[in-house]
Amino acid sequence: MIRLLPLALLLLPAGTMADTPRPPEPPLLTWPDLTGRAQPKPDATIAYGTDALQQVDVWLPAGAGRHPVVLMVHGGCWTTSIADRSLMNWIADDLRKSGIAVWNIEYRGVDRPGGGYPGTFLDAGAAADALTANAARFHLDTTHVVAVGHSAGGHLALWLAGRSRLPKDSPLHSAHPITIRHVISLGGLPDLEATAASPDNGCGTEIVAQLVGKPGTRADVYADTSVPRLLPLGVAQDLVNGRADAIIPLRLGTAYVDQARAKGDRAALHIVERTGHVELIAPETAAWAQAKALIRSALAQ
């Protein structure tokens, strides 16, 4: 059926419709846009060590039963003074309201005593394994654990999924690490070697040496710390990255997905338009809607 344009539109001068300016795109979110909001709080906090940073926040949905659970890892360039686990509170609360429990871990950053290598990695592993030890207490279903990490936490979430592949002579090796079925990295930095060689990454290049040790301190500082060295992980991996992310260059996600696929892993890169770094963990955004859909799908498998 042919639709006739209204007479008023037909009488417009030539070029008028084409010349009508489009409304400007809304600005990207800044950190104060997120952190300035009222902050929701977890249902419980447990300690997995004696340091004040060796803690986990537990977010529990209403009702009884074995709750599906997300293992959550915050970013902040592996540096405690930049960010801690509370940065994830808004999306943790959103998952809690949607019937999904969250195990939001803390770890010592490179700027804290005991942080760096091996402490930051040992903390992340111990905090993750504490989920298994406390599952019955909090009525959590650990048969399909999904790890979700943002920024530097994306690296640690993927690294946690690959712990069973760590060299046995590594100080980071664990005989029985928690089994992670799926990883969702939000603007992550999985390849530490590529990060160290990328001056345009928002964490800088020297931070990697603070995390893993300078070359020469061990035979290969990346062998047990950088995710590509552990491939194939044997778990599904989804990377969600913002097209306009000025902190994490998009190529770091693209290159890692190519590496993972080449090793036989199921890995996908999801690029979200008009999205920066903050949008990835703000619950009202298109980026988080996509990540949440991936979480729901992974938990249902």
Side-chain angles (χ1 to χ4, degrees), residues 36-58:
R37 308 174 185 187
Q39 190 178 80
K41 300 301 179 184
D43 297 282
T45 298
I46 67 111
Y48 63 88
T50 58
D51 191 277
L53 288 171
Q54 293 174 321
Q55 294 187 333
V56 177
D57 285 341
V58 188

Side-chain angles (χ1 to χ4, degrees), residues 117 159 162 165-167 169-170 172 192-193 212 218-231:
Y117 186 91
W159 179 85
R165 297 184 56 79
L166 289 171
D169 60 351
S170 167
L172 309 182
L192 296 182
E193 291 178 272
V212 304
R218 302 192 307 284
D220 183 352
V221 296
Y222 297 112
D224 56 355
T225 58
S226 188
V227 180
R229 297 297 191 89
L230 305 179
L231 292 171

Side-chain angles (χ1 to χ4, degrees), residues 4-30:
L4 299 179
L5 292 173
L7 179 61
L9 289 181
L10 293 174
L11 296 177
L12 286 174
T16 299
M17 294 178 66
D19 295 341
T20 301
R22 294 182 178 180
E25 297 288 349
L28 297 178
L29 292 179
T30 65

Side-chain angles (χ1 to χ4, degrees), residues 155-197:
H155 157 259
L156 288 173
L158 288 160
W159 179 85
L160 286 167
R163 285 167 71 208
S164 63
R165 297 184 56 79
L166 289 171
K168 290 186 178 180
D169 60 351
S170 167
L172 309 182
H173 181 265
S174 175
H176 303 289
I178 186 173
T179 298
I180 294 171
R181 301 293 184 186
H182 200 119
V183 182
I184 297 170
S185 169
L186 309 174
L189 293 158
D191 188 338
L192 296 182
E193 291 178 272
T195 302

